Amino acid sequence: MAKLNVNGRVVDVNVEPDTPLLWVIREQIGLTGTKYGCGVAQCGACSIYIDGEITRSCAMPVSSIKESQKIVTIEGANDRVVQAVQKAWLEHDVPQCGYCQSGQVLAAAALIRAKKNPTDEDIDREMTNICRCGTYNRIRIAIKQAASAVQAG
Amino acid sequence: MNAIDVSRRKFLVGAGAAAGGLTLGMSIPFDEAVAQTGATPEVNAWVVIRPDDTVVVRIARQEMGQGTITGLAQLVAEELEADWAKVTYEYPTPGQSVARKRVWGDYATSGSRGVRNSEKYMREGGAAARMMLMQAAADQWKVPVAELTVARGVITHKASNRTTTYGKVSDAAGKLVPPANPALKDPKNWTIAGKPLKRLAQDGKVNGKQIYAMDYVAPNMLNAAIKDCPIWGGKLKSFDASAAEKMPGVKKVLRIDGNAVVVVADTFWRAKTALDAVKIEYDAGESAKLNSKSIEAMLDEGLTAKEAFVGNQGGDVQKAIAGAAKVVEATYRFPYQNHAPMEPMNATALWTPERCDVWTSTQNGEAALATTSQAAGLPLDKCDVHRLDLGGGFGRRATSQDYVRQAVLIAKEMPGTPVKLIWTREEDQLRGCYHPITKCKMTGALDKDGNLVGLHMRLSGQSILATIRPEGLQNGRDPAAFQGLNNGGTEGAIGYTIPNILVDHAMRNTAIRPGFWRGVNNNQNAVYLECFMDELAHAAGVDPLEFRRRMMKDHPKHLAVLNAVAERGGWSKPAPKGVFRGLAQHMGYGSYVAAMAEVSINESGTLKIHRIVAATNCGHAVNPAQIERQIEGSFAYGLGAALMQEITFDGGKAVETNFDTYPMVRMADMPAVESIIAPTNDFWGGVGEPTIFVAAPAVLNAIFAATGKRVRNLPIADQDLRKA
Ligand code: FES
Ligand code: FES
């Protein structure tokens, strides 16, 4: 039994303590925007925010999360920065299959929060999520646009 | 309308053939027509118009990120004269298609055929619907149809100043007899097709709402995890599930299809955890000795073997080599690759003695339906496959519907309960349909003026068709092995005139399952031919562009894309300091492609790919914006393979089981891509795959320019790139 604060709601989940947070979110809480890609913290498809920090949920046992920690998934992420990223993503028609994009959107928003005007080097360093469809170049353009949109307020 | 042979009581399922035109796979019998699908009456099979004027285009080809639904909807909307803002789409199920005598044609989405092999009947469907809608308005107004005009779904009778919309006349239109052979627009007059429109249905991909097969949930659903025998050619000997059976949430431990162990539990995670606790023993049999080394030795033998299947032959190559002023030889190797789409394989099945339904992501709905029927032991009309979005395909979900079969076999053991089977990433790596391994011995004969007068290309390696679609072999020969090396043809013609040529293939198969992997055999064939062309040019002391051009006079389309990248890339001008260039061209899936890569390599041998200029002539460019994205995506996919990926085998089992050992291209690895879309508008070529062919050879040739070293063995990461 664990209590989790997900997207502003406190939920009780009944799982083994070593269950990865990813599967708790998908199977117990029923939020499927957070994806399974590798299960070993390599791909970033399972990215979420924990207290605002971008985190790969597949390699994080639910027992390591305290009730006081705020978990935000793609379904609950709707601050200005995330919205600017989503808007830029649609304007540049970024997604192909889209399976990785929940994670990409959250990672991009985290980058823009940390660096107001991310350089190419920042983007190379921080955007490490895998996109098998190869949307990287569009992601790069969209990040820059979203960052300036956030700046412009 | 398209002439569909309704008299035949059987049809063939095109289950993802390598070269278009190969229709292979299962034979499905069907019964006579059943009624229409859907609530709103249709105008015809392709077009439904709702009372609010929404235009629904029916699409059978799969969308897996490549933009096919958008392109096909554009083509139908174009002929229909629809308002693009009101266009949406739906997928008829393969079961519905079977019930209607296969009215939606082929469901297979592979071989870059999504648009090029359905454009005609879909455009005709749109044109026929437009004619029927206009006729319905004419009948209503009692005026000749010739007096009407239409634009953006609004029909006008100017003389009487009346207008109506498609939504208002669609009911009446649906009752009319469809016109035979509707005329199609000249692409020059396109206003919707040919335009860089945004993709349909993107919103759900940025807010997490899009439902992939992996996300499907049915009431009372159970979840399953599976371990199929990871040893190719091996067998499951025994398993001990006593511990697993007692674990939380576990409902059942099963053995299916002889070799696979399955745990069914309330959640996937519990199923997977319990499966990990099952002690499984395998019998490797002969495959104990199957490893990368033994495969290599087998291929090496093939390189010089007497017997080989001939793919392209002209003149007398042996004589040309014997009489050459200079003979150049080189041996190349292209390793096994896995598709690794982001969404691992999965399917949900519900079986009862009367019926079986499957919810899954597949590149071939009809093959999935045939698989379901077979595994369920139920006739086709008692089965259906419900399509959910694909988290990537790249050929994996076209090559084999093994995951569908497994899900149905599991569901059969749990009658009345839907079961979702999810593969782990590890299962996906171990049970791949791998891009096969090949090697190639190249021998080139140059005359005293540095012209290529003879070329022998001996391919040695695994055939995809031999394992996956043996009915596609021609007297044992795999025609797809020669993709891009054929003497003419629309699928993969070599772009050079070489007076004496021999391309032959020593087929050397293993127990490892091969598959159609984005680009298929063009990938290695382009590396072999285009890197060797670069070697020959250097041996002849001729600029690699000029060397090629001399042999391309009779191949104007190949030449045009090559010239286009050379010009845009600035081939004839010096590169920036420290930057080096390489070229490649190739033709496949109907399209002509070329690339120029720019790379630099630092003191410690680290490669940076700065820029790739790519050109494609895909005949008609239905949506240039999506084509650009396919070009970029194909480079990410192709460069991943060239730079860093290889599946090796030990004891018949894949060694690389996740992204830590099978690395992927990421943002930092991705070059800038400049796309040149140069359609000549006189044919229909593919888009999803072709540019991948030239990614690796252009980079490899640039590496030589930078280092003086030939990388003939992939992946590049295994090679020392410090200056020679
Ligand atoms: S699923 Fe978590 S990083 Fe891949
Ligand atoms: S869009 Fe398909 S994996 Fe990224």
Side-chain angles (χ1 to χ4, degrees), chain B residues 434-682:
Chain B
Y434 309 97
H435 182 293
I437 192 168
T438 55
K439 292 185 87 167
C440 183
K441 185 164 187 283
M442 306 289 299
T443 312
L446 296 168
D447 70 11
K448 61 177 190 345
D449 301 320
N451 297 308
L452 182 61
V453 290
L455 179 71
H456 181 199
M457 232 177 134
R458 162 59 65 85
L459 301 157
S460 172
Q462 192 160 355
S463 152
I464 303 171
L465 293 187
T467 306
I468 301 295
R469 315 260 183 266
E471 62 277 30
L473 298 179
Q474 300 167 342
N475 295 321
R477 168 184 171 275
D478 177 354
F482 306 102
Q483 286 184 308
L485 307 173
N486 297 306
N487 178 24
T490 56
E491 278 303 315
I494 194 166
Y496 305 109
T497 303
I498 303 163
N500 302 286
I501 185 166
L502 176 61
V503 184
D504 53 8
H505 176 215
M507 192 188 291
R508 293 293 180 273
N509 295 328
T510 71
I512 296 159
R513 175 172 62 180
F516 307 110
W517 187 101
R518 193 177 195 172
V520 192
N521 294 309
N522 290 289
N523 289 302
Q524 69 271 18
N525 290 348
V527 166
Y528 301 155
L529 183 61
E530 285 303 290
C531 292
F532 193 62
M533 280 293 163
D534 201 73
E535 294 204 41
L536 289 166
H538 283 94
V542 181
D543 171 79
L545 174 62
E546 187 47 37
F547 183 77
R548 287 179 172 86
R549 278 177 176 164
R550 288 181 188 173
M551 295 177 279
M552 295 179 80
K553 278 196 293 295
D554 295 329
H555 308 274
K557 287 192 165 106
H558 292 80
L559 180 60
V561 287
L562 181 64
N563 281 339
V565 296
E567 193 178 316
R568 172 80 65 87
W571 179 263
S572 60
K573 297 185 200 96
K577 197 174 166 335
V579 171
F580 298 87
R581 291 171 174 158
L583 283 173
Q585 65 83 21
H586 195 78
M587 186 242 177
Y589 301 114
S591 292
Y592 302 82
V593 297
M596 191 198 88
E598 289 188 343
V599 311
S600 65
I601 293 165
N602 69 13
E603 293 284 290
S604 50
T606 307
L607 167 71
K608 170 92 190 150
I609 308 169
H610 298 276
R611 172 171 88 131
I612 295 189
V613 179
T616 181
N617 176 4
C618 50
H620 292 285
V622 174
N623 186 325
Q626 301 312 328
I627 294 172
E628 272 183 21
R629 284 160 179 77
Q630 283 307 293
I631 294 174
E632 290 165 20
S634 77
F635 286 150
Y637 207 78
L639 291 177
L643 290 170
M644 51 187 84
Q645 291 158 2
E646 171 171 15
I647 301 284
T648 60
F649 290 88
D650 192 15
K653 183 174 161 181
V655 173
E656 295 75 19
T657 59
N658 208 320
F659 297 145
D660 46 357
T661 47
Y662 192 69
M664 295 282 136
V665 157
R666 296 175 199 251
M667 181 68 80
D669 308 307
M670 188 69 194
V673 175
E674 287 174 37
S675 301
I676 305 166
I677 300 166
T680 46
N681 297 308
D682 53 347

Side-chain angles (χ1 to χ4, degrees), chain B residues 1 131 177-183:
Chain B
M1 292 292 299
M131 290 165 74
V177 178
N181 308 318

Side-chain angles (χ1 to χ4, degrees), chain A residues 94-101 104 129-136 139, chain B residues 64-65 205 212 340-343 390-394:
Chain A
V94 170
Q96 289 190 25
C97 82
Y99 194 82
C100 72
Q101 298 293 342
Q104 305 280 8
N129 290 11
I130 294 170
C131 174
R132 195 66 170 132
C133 297
T135 62
Y136 300 115
I139 289 177
Chain B
M64 50 197 154
K205 297 176 184 172
Y212 298 85
M342 282 310 291
E343 178 196 20
L390 284 76
F394 312 115

Side-chain angles (χ1 to χ4, degrees), chain A residues 40-107:
Chain A
V40 295
Q42 279 284 327
C43 75
C46 63
S47 297
I48 55 166
Y49 295 134
I50 299 182
D51 288 336
E53 289 277 319
I54 188 92
T55 307
R56 294 182 177 176
S57 62
C58 66
M60 173 147 297
V62 67
S63 57
S64 68
I65 312 288
K66 292 197 262 325
E67 190 191 332
S68 59
Q69 288 179 294
K70 290 194 172 60
I71 298 167
V72 174
T73 69
I74 185 73
E75 292 90 347
N78 58 6
D79 66 21
R80 266 182 72 226
V81 182
V82 170
Q83 284 179 18
V85 169
Q86 287 168 326
K87 190 159 170 257
W89 248 237
L90 292 177
E91 259 165 50
H92 290 278
D93 229 353
V94 170
Q96 289 190 25
C97 82
Y99 194 82
C100 72
Q101 298 293 342
S102 301
Q104 305 280 8
V105 164
L106 295 183

Side-chain angles (χ1 to χ4, degrees), chain B residues 26-39:
Chain B
M26 282 159 269
S27 172
I28 297 186
F30 65 83
D31 288 319
E32 290 307 320
V34 180
Q36 298 187 2
T37 59

